[in-house]
Amino acid sequence: MLKETGTATLVRLDLPPLSTDFVDGQVWNVIDYDNDGDLDAFLTNYANSVFNNLYRNNNGTYERMTEAQVGPIVSDFGLFLANLWGDFNNDGNIDCIVTRQGAPAFYYNNNGDGTFTRLDTTAVSQNAGGNFGATAGDYDNNGTLDLYMTGSTDSKGLFRNDLNNGNKWVKIKCTGGGPMTGLSNKSAIGTKVKAKATINGVSVWQYRDVLAQNSFNSMNMLNVHFGFGNASVIDSLIIIWPRGLREVFTNVALNNSYNATEGQGIVSGISNGSILSPDDFRLFQNYPNPFNPVTVISYELALGSFINLKVFDLIGKEIATLVNQKQPAGNYNVTFDGGGLSSGVYFYKLSAGDFSETKKMSLLK
């Protein structure tokens, strides 16, 4: 396991059992399978003597799950390749499809109580011949996730999801501003989306990432998909862009497809939604970082304040004052041009009333 340090370097972490279990690993996925707000992990193994591994995140430490805890998803045998996660029945719990070489795929239904049931009656599980990659997406735009599976001439195929159980859903296409604007990448890779709704009388948070790889030699659609069961509305929808900008929406209607464009403060098509003001003071990591020579520094103000934003070099010498004025509550982006500076590490500091925070950035020419 590697951790990104914020300075374009990676540090290896020895984090048992993730880094110590014996595996023949094929595909890792990080997902919040139990809807508790943190990212769990799942690994497929290509060896009949090694089961697939599901690791539950317990406040930053990981525990390998057993069959007694979660069911057959960690005890079935096979030459496993892809593991693909999505809410295929729109009940608010993320399910898993695992492909096997030379044998039909396994479909594991998330029961919503931390356990999984293997369903062998689906068309996916009865597809003879075995499959390799698998990718999910709503190709017919009916709100349910369809599936394409690669394999031999006989076993590859498109599986349309015609489930009509009345469960609610939402799809969101995220679009970043692109590097020429100093904003996040256009495809919004790395964007985090969180949604809270009341399902079966219980308030539930769900979490999704926009990823470029989440299956075996394949990937899902970039659109974020959520199922919401019998919920009547999304109470809160939070989009966190790769550069750190955080946008919050409330009272979002279900059974709709939306477009979210970074920094515009709207999700198009949401007529009954509203944007929340920031609830705290925040200074975000500049983007891009490292940069050459222009980068964007973003921050949020919970209250109107006199703002001071400055840049310093390694020895504490002031390089530039970017903001020195009173500003109302809201979200702000400031461009910093290091064209006249040498490559190296610099610091930027935001002061707003009693709030003060400093972050590091790297200029590489």
Side-chain angles (χ1 to χ4, degrees):
M1 172 176 276
L2 302 176
K3 178 181 180 181
E4 202 278 322
T5 63
T7 59
T9 59
L10 298 173
V11 175
R12 178 172 177 169
L13 299 179
D14 291 324
L15 189 64
L18 294 177
S19 59
T20 56
D21 278 345
F22 175 76
V23 299
D24 187 358
Q26 296 300 307
V27 173
W28 278 103
N29 263 303
V30 287
I31 66 288
D32 183 11
Y33 81 89
D34 50 2
N35 287 339
D36 66 349
D38 53 25
L39 286 176
D40 313 295
F42 187 80
L43 172 68
T44 42
N45 285 297
Y46 189 78
N48 277 313
S49 59
V50 183
F51 302 127
N52 294 325
N53 295 347
L54 177 62
Y55 299 93
R56 185 174 66 196
N57 187 338
N58 297 319
N59 296 318
T61 62
Y62 285 86
E63 175 188 3
R64 186 176 67 249
M65 295 289 97
T66 66
E67 181 182 14
Q69 292 171 302
V70 296
I73 193 171
V74 295
S75 61
D76 282 331
F77 285 103
L79 300 176
F80 295 110
L81 295 170
N83 67 89
L84 184 68
W85 294 80
D87 190 355
F88 292 97
N89 57 7
N90 286 344
D91 65 351
N93 301 297
I94 193 168
D95 311 301
C96 184
I97 292 174
V98 178
T99 64
R100 298 186 292 166
Q101 181 164 328
F106 284 147
Y107 176 95
Y108 297 99
N109 181 73
N110 188 333
N111 300 317
D113 58 1
T115 67
F116 292 84
T117 299
R118 196 181 80 209
L119 303 180
D120 295 331
T121 58
T122 66
V124 170
S125 301
Q126 295 179 344
N127 184 42
N131 298 102
F132 312 130
T135 179
D138 182 14
Y139 87 92
D140 54 357
N141 291 318
N142 69 346
T144 57
L145 288 175
D146 309 298
L147 185 70
Y148 184 82
M149 303 181 71
T150 60
S152 66
T153 301
D154 294 332
S155 64
K156 66 183 178 182
L158 175 64
F159 296 83
R160 189 179 65 197
N161 188 343
D162 290 331
L163 183 67
N164 185 18
N165 58 7
N167 285 343
K168 308 294 180 54
W169 55 272
V170 151
K171 288 190 306 180
I172 305 168
K173 180 181 179 182
C174 296
T175 303
M180 296 304 293
T181 66
L183 304 181
S184 303
N185 63 90
K186 200 74 173 178
S187 297
I189 303 297
T191 298
K192 300 173 175 59
V193 183
K194 302 178 181 180
K196 183 179 72 170
T198 300
I199 304 174
N200 295 324
V202 179
S203 182
V204 177
W205 277 102
Q206 297 184 65
Y207 179 97
R208 300 287 190 271
D209 283 300
V210 179
L211 299 174
Q213 196 282 328
N214 41 25
S215 186
F216 184 80
N217 295 331
S218 51
M219 59 179 284
N220 292 337
M221 67 175 181
L222 292 177
N223 293 8
V224 172
H225 172 271
F226 288 99
F228 287 100
N230 60 3
S232 58
V233 70
I234 301 176
D235 301 319
S236 297
L237 176 68
I238 302 175
I239 301 176
I240 305 172
W241 302 91
R243 68 186 178 104
L245 178 64
R246 180 175 177 266
E247 296 181 281
V248 183
F249 306 89
T250 60
N251 300 318
V252 179
L254 296 168
N255 289 353
N256 278 303
S257 297
Y258 297 116
N259 295 308
T261 302
E262 180 183 16
Q264 294 190 10
I266 61 170
V267 176
S268 62
I270 298 181
S271 58
N272 63 337
S274 58
I275 304 172
L276 295 181
S277 298
D279 59 359
D280 204 350
F281 290 87
R282 295 183 179 89
L283 176 64
F284 298 107
Q285 187 65 50
N286 64 299
Y287 184 87
N289 186 45
F291 66 99
N292 178 26
V294 176
T295 189
V296 174
I297 299 171
S298 302
Y299 56 92
E300 293 181 349
L301 306 178
L303 300 171
S305 306
F306 191 89
I307 304 304
N308 188 273
L309 179 62
K310 293 185 176 182
V311 178
F312 302 88
D313 64 14
L314 269 175
I315 63 174
K317 179 183 176 181
E318 182 179 326
I319 300 299
T321 297
L322 304 181
V323 181
N324 188 40
Q325 65 184 59
K326 187 172 182 177
Q327 293 180 320
N331 301 288
Y332 294 89
N333 306 310
V334 178
T335 299
F336 172 63
D337 189 341
L341 300 176
S342 302
S343 296
V345 175
Y346 295 86
F347 298 89
Y348 57 99
K349 179 180 180 181
L350 176 70
S351 299
D354 295 333
F355 174 84
S356 179
E357 187 171 357
T358 301
K359 289 187 178 293
K360 181 168 59 177
M361 59 183 174
S362 299
L363 172 61
L364 295 181
K365 293 186 173 180

